[in-house]
Amino acid sequence: MGSFIPMTTAQTNEKWKRLDEDVARGDEDRWLSSRYAAIEARKRLIALYAFNLELARIRLAVTEPGLGAIRFEWWREAVAELEKGKDPRRHDAIEAVAETAIAVKTLLGLVDGHQAAFDTGDAELEPEVLLMRAAAGQLTLAHGWGPHIADLAPAYARARRGVSEVTGPVLPKVPAPIRPAICHAVLRFDYATGRRPGPLAKRITLVRAMLQGRA
């Protein structure tokens, strides 16, 4: 093992507060859904979403392919170090996925997906399905909703980007255990019509979706 010095409880709490606030600002829909998860499950969702958000931001920060490749490689190497049992790099998102034991395969898949989208300029390659499946998997593995996620996640992503008016197929009720990872997708019905609901409208929509199992 390396020489990682464990954080104090106060430092750890501050780290999770920063991550939570960052996801709230950068990925409000998923953050709102995560509020309905139990505390420990919510931490796993926030760790996953914070990691994904860092990767998504690369395309906003750089346009030069070489610089993008360097940034993605940093994240790939950081994950590889976790797989080898090394101490996590001093970065909130890396420490969070290490603490919550998010699967290395998932993390590398997110890196690969975002890099593919960056390299080609094709947002369709962003790992939306993997992210939603991984989020559901943080809550329970026995939900049987995998095939539906494959239809739902891309439809939600396209509507949120404002490039599609298609809301996807009619889906069965979302199983209660995974609703905090899925029900934000119900907002695609607003996005597909060009509406951009505010925070209060989103909260009202998500309360109904959580109660009814809509997505």
Side-chain angles (χ1 to χ4, degrees):
M1 293 293 291
S3 56
F4 178 67
I5 300 174
M7 301 176 74
T8 66
T9 299
Q11 288 173 318
T12 299
N13 290 342
E14 184 61 29
K15 175 191 71 182
W16 283 104
K17 180 181 178 182
R18 288 194 302 269
L19 286 166
D20 198 66
E21 291 174 347
D22 192 38
V23 175
R25 288 190 300 268
D27 197 349
E28 184 182 55
D29 294 0
R30 292 187 177 95
W31 181 83
L32 287 170
S33 280
S34 75
R35 302 303 90 185
Y36 295 94
I39 296 298
E40 287 305 311
R42 186 186 305 170
K43 286 179 69 174
R44 294 193 295 273
L45 290 177
I46 291 300
L48 178 68
Y49 295 155
F51 183 89
N52 181 73
L53 190 56
E54 292 287 352
L55 298 171
R57 283 174 172 154
I58 293 176
R59 65 178 172 79
L60 302 176
V62 299
T63 56
E64 171 61 40
L67 294 178
I70 291 171
R71 297 199 179 199
F72 284 113
E73 187 59 25
W74 187 93
W75 288 95
R76 190 172 285 107
E77 290 176 356
V79 173
E81 290 170 3
L82 296 181
E83 187 174 29
K84 294 175 181 177
K86 294 184 178 182
D87 295 329
R89 295 186 180 187
R90 289 302 186 103
H91 187 289
D92 285 351
I94 292 296
E95 291 175 352
V97 294
E99 182 178 332
T100 53
I102 305 295
V104 166
K105 182 179 180 180
T106 294
L107 300 176
L108 291 177
L110 292 173
V111 175
D112 290 344
H114 280 288
Q115 184 166 14
F118 175 85
D119 289 344
T120 62
D122 185 358
E124 288 291 308
L125 297 178
E126 292 178 355
E128 296 287 345
V129 174
L130 173 60
L131 180 60
M132 189 174 284
R133 281 179 172 164
Q138 302 311 308
L139 305 179
T140 179
L141 296 177
H143 55 77
W145 235 65
H148 301 306
I149 289 174
D151 293 325
L152 176 62
Y156 164 71
R158 290 169 191 143
R160 187 168 70 162
R161 292 199 306 271
V163 299
S164 175
E165 297 178 357
V166 177
T167 58
V170 176
L171 299 169
K173 182 179 291 188
V174 181
I178 63 170
R179 289 178 191 176
I182 302 292
C183 283
H184 59 274
V186 75
L187 294 168
R188 74 190 187 283
F189 292 104
D190 287 321
Y191 296 147
T193 60
R195 293 196 299 270
R196 290 285 158 176
L200 179 57
K202 285 184 178 182
R203 283 170 167 81
I204 293 172
T205 297
L206 288 178
V207 166
R208 293 172 178 163
M210 288 296 301
L211 292 174
Q212 299 168 3
R214 294 186 62 224

